[in-house]
Amino acid sequence: MSFLFKLLLLYLWLHWMDEGSVFVSSNGTVMSGTVLVNGTASIAKTDDNFVCATLDWWPPQKCDYGTCSWGRASLLNLDLANPILLNAIKAFSPLKIRMGGTLQDNVFYETKDGKIPCAPFVTNSSELFGFSKGCLPMSRWDQLNIFFKKAGAEVVFGLNALNGRTIGLDGSAIGAWNSSNAESLIRYTVNKGYNIHGWELGNELCGSGIGAKIAAEQYAADVSSLQSIVDNIYRGFEVKPLVIAPGGFIDTNWFTQFVQKTPKSLQVVTQHIYNLGPGNDNQLMNKILDPTYQDDGGQPFRDLQAILKNSSTSAVAWVGEAGGAYNSGQNRVSNSFVNSFWYLDQLGMAASYDTKTYCRQTLIGGNYGLLDTATFVPHPDYYSALLWHRLMGSNVLSTSFNGTKGVRAYAHCSKQSQGITLLLINFGANTTVRVRVETEGSASNGSLSLQKGGVPRINFARMSKNSRKKGRGMREEYHLTPEDGNVQSQNVVLNGKMVALNSSGGIPHMEPVNKSTVHPIIVAPSSIVFSHIPSIILPACKD
């Protein structure tokens, strides 16, 4: 017993010394911190394909603050033959894609008996959203579905919720939804054998709305109509598409009424997130790099989680669209390395509040695309998203970080592998952080874990020869840093090597570096680290 007691005292002393250590080197401040992961039970669960991206309707004439950043990224003109686009989607296997956006409520769908010519969007300042009504030709719908099947994408399509209504002077949409055109599209889709993961009704028409608004009671009735159409057309199907709505900014009173009136006709409640403000904000980068500013970004997730918990619905929460800064984002910020600090923090935060899916605006288009609009080359956020998708499992673990407010930490059970994966985000530009990991409920071999009450406990289970050979006691690390230390770089460095497409436009392999779990995780200034630790076995990860 005396040996164990002395060993325990030694551990506490070393831990205290380590936590208190802060020193300055020629490269800036170096300090220590601790991630505490509670693994007794998961606090939330995401979809396996939590990461989602959007495709929009905006034509090349869409401009913000004097800059036109959309090019040919629209659902109507995107080059589906581009190999980089195909490879970028296939790398996720699968990637959930939400097709929609502001102009979706100005789209009608070509039908055989259609009396209106199927014309593209045209700039018109007197029309809602600044463009004339547009049309989706069925030939283009065929091309999109064939492409998405080839790419292995899961498709969510946003339907026109303003069809058949008139817009009052205050922006209120008057009348019920005319579902006939949407029904014809859904029937065509089923007859062609195209697989749709979900049908979403409307875009940003909830609450005070963007351009137009629909009362919660009327919207609920419209969703019930959509559910009836889906039930009828997909009768006999083993799996039916999800019915999704309302796809807008959360207004707690409106959302509460809406959810209460759709207890059985809605499977997913979607909200939109643009918590960084306008794309022309000259303080945008400073906002992204300020963890205290990012703290406020959790409120929409908390609000929607509370609404769903306090209702009789079985519907789940999604982020249907999130671009950070609205009006297309900001060039050299939204499409550069620095944006991953916002993006990954959002993914971690959303997951912890039981958000099942998070759709990034956009896959391509605007300044916030995961892919470059002109070249299709991935921006840094693409690789951040891909690493999350491959490493972070669906079970979310309660995680806290002690040592500095400049580091954010998230932990999930690892995806399709044993152990846990940590995400560490170091917002500090001049601080290197040495991170140690402590767990509650751990059953890892030879590791230290904390019981409730913070009392240290040491596990002395012997490690077999076979376990040692398999690398238990090692972890895999993925260190993401900007090229030349410039956070506004559009190039990302992984473990010291530039990440770039291969000669055929393929997504490169992203290999980790192996480190001993005896040593702390070193998180460089302005960097992001994913760390897969297979030797930490938690009860929360056994289901």
Side-chain angles (χ1 to χ4, degrees):
M1 289 296 295
S2 61
F3 171 73
L4 288 176
F5 182 72
K6 290 178 180 178
L7 187 59
L8 180 58
L9 288 177
L10 176 63
Y11 164 71
L12 289 172
W13 181 79
L14 289 172
H15 179 67
W16 177 76
M17 290 293 290
D18 194 49
E19 287 301 290
S21 63
V22 177
F23 61 91
V24 179
S25 71
S26 59
N27 295 320
T29 302
V30 179
M31 66 181 305
S32 297
T34 303
V35 173
L36 177 60
V37 180
N38 186 331
T40 54
S42 60
I43 59 170
K45 192 165 187 174
T46 69
D47 288 345
D48 284 338
N49 51 345
F50 173 70
V51 173
C52 164
T54 70
L55 287 172
D56 214 309
W57 292 96
W58 290 119
Q61 294 78 22
K62 159 69 171 172
C63 304
D64 300 282
Y65 318 118
T67 301
C68 308
S69 60
W70 284 85
R72 296 180 63 83
S74 165
L75 286 163
L76 296 174
N77 59 28
L78 180 63
D79 180 11
L80 301 179
N82 187 286
I84 300 175
L85 178 65
L86 178 65
N87 292 334
I89 297 173
K90 288 179 74 173
F92 280 81
S93 300
L95 177 64
K96 192 178 289 177
I97 293 180
R98 179 250 186 179
M99 294 188 279
T102 300
L103 293 184
Q104 80 177 53
D105 294 308
N106 263 6
V107 177
F108 68 94
Y109 320 114
E110 182 185 40
T111 58
K112 291 181 179 180
D113 57 351
K115 298 178 181 179
I116 304 174
C118 196
F121 292 106
V122 177
T123 305
N124 188 334
S125 59
S126 63
E127 292 278 352
L128 188 65
F129 310 123
F131 286 88
S132 67
K133 285 183 170 52
C135 175
L136 172 63
M138 289 302 95
S139 59
R140 182 60 176 179
W141 185 233
D142 293 338
Q143 292 169 4
L144 287 165
N145 279 281
I146 291 168
F147 171 77
F148 288 133
K149 182 178 181 180
K150 183 179 180 181
E154 288 190 345
V155 174
V156 171
F157 186 83
L159 296 164
N160 179 351
L162 291 180
N163 193 38
R165 309 184 205 261
T166 57
I167 308 301
L169 294 177
D170 66 346
S172 296
I174 302 168
W177 175 50
N178 183 338
S179 62
S180 59
N181 191 224
E183 184 173 354
S184 69
L185 175 67
I186 296 172
R187 286 192 183 279
Y188 179 91
T189 302
V190 171
N191 290 337
K192 283 282 192 173
Y194 301 146
N195 187 28
I196 301 296
H197 186 67
W199 297 100
E200 183 177 27
L201 184 62
N203 182 84
E204 297 178 357
L205 301 173
C206 53
S208 57
I210 302 297
K213 58 185 178 182
I214 301 173
E217 186 172 359
Q218 180 60 60
Y219 215 133
D222 299 331
V223 167
S224 295
S225 297
L226 175 58
Q227 182 68 70
S228 296
I229 291 169
V230 169
D231 286 341
N232 182 39
I233 296 177
Y234 288 88
R235 185 180 289 116
F237 281 63
E238 186 175 343
V239 178
K240 297 178 182 179
L242 301 170
V243 172
I244 303 169
F249 300 102
I250 193 161
D251 175 312
T252 53
N253 291 332
W254 192 100
F255 269 67
T256 299
Q257 294 178 49
F258 176 69
V259 170
Q260 287 174 346
K261 294 180 182 296
T262 54
K264 296 182 180 179
S265 57
L266 184 66
Q267 288 83 62
V268 178
V269 180
T270 42
Q271 66 165 314
H272 291 181
I273 304 285
Y274 286 92
N275 63 310
L276 296 176
N280 66 342
D281 186 351
N282 60 12
Q283 294 300 309
L284 181 59
M285 193 167 74
N286 291 334
K287 286 181 178 179
I288 292 172
L289 292 174
D290 181 358
T292 58
Y293 181 87
Q294 301 293 7
D295 286 339
D296 294 334
Q299 192 60 48
F301 307 125
R302 288 191 289 271
D303 288 344
L304 184 51
Q305 183 185 45
I307 290 169
L308 295 178
K309 277 187 174 181
N310 294 324
S311 73
S312 59
T313 187
S314 59
V316 299
W318 284 16
V319 171
E321 181 182 314
Y326 58 82
N327 289 341
S328 304
Q330 186 176 124
N331 189 33
R332 306 301 299 190
V333 176
S334 301
N335 51 17
S336 69
F337 183 86
V338 72
N339 204 62
S340 282
F341 291 96
W342 166 80
Y343 181 38
L344 287 173
D345 192 43
Q346 276 278 299
L347 292 181
M349 204 179 298
S352 68
Y353 288 106
D354 212 30
T355 305
K356 304 302 184 184
T357 289
Y358 191 107
C359 299
R360 168 62 180 266
Q361 174 83 348
T362 60
L363 175 62
I364 187 168
N367 290 313
Y368 38 36
L370 297 178
L371 308 178
D372 185 86
T373 303
T375 66
F376 291 76
V377 170
H379 288 141
D381 278 1
Y382 173 86
Y383 295 110
S384 296
L386 188 57
L387 282 174
W388 176 290
H389 177 77
R390 291 178 175 177
L391 298 171
M392 304 290 272
S394 58
N395 284 5
V396 186
L397 304 173
S398 177
T399 310
S400 61
F401 186 84
N402 297 317
T404 170
K405 293 182 179 179
V407 170
R408 283 287 174 72
Y410 299 98
H412 287 216
C413 299
S414 296
K415 192 168 190 176
Q416 297 180 343
S417 60
Q418 182 175 276
I420 67 170
T421 299
L422 294 176
L423 167 62
L424 300 167
I425 307 169
N426 187 358
F427 289 84
N430 299 298
T431 302
T432 298
V433 185
R434 301 165 67 247
V435 178
R436 292 194 178 276
V437 183
E438 295 179 355
T439 62
E440 292 184 45
S442 175
S444 55
N445 286 334
S447 68
L448 286 162
S449 62
L450 293 180
Q451 296 175 319
K452 289 183 179 179
V455 180
R457 173 170 56 84
I458 302 176
N459 297 323
F460 286 98
R462 290 181 179 272
M463 190 179 294
S464 68
K465 292 181 179 180
N466 288 336
S467 295
R468 287 197 295 269
K469 289 178 180 178
K470 291 178 181 178
R472 293 178 68 100
M474 301 295 289
R475 62 174 181 259
E476 298 172 333
E477 295 181 358
Y478 302 78
H479 293 255
L480 299 175
T481 54
E483 183 184 25
D484 298 329
N486 176 14
V487 293
Q488 289 187 267
S489 171
Q490 292 182 318
N491 293 318
V492 61
V493 175
L494 172 64
N495 296 330
K497 297 180 180 180
M498 184 80 72
V499 181
L501 298 173
N502 62 33
S503 58
S504 59
I507 303 303
H509 293 293
M510 293 190 288
E511 300 294 337
V513 291
N514 294 311
K515 298 287 185 179
S516 170
T517 54
V518 171
H519 304 299
I521 302 169
I522 307 301
V523 188
S526 300
S527 76
I528 296 160
V529 178
F530 287 91
S531 180
H532 172 220
I533 312 174
S535 59
I536 295 181
I537 312 300
L538 301 174
C541 302
K542 292 180 180 179
D543 59 355

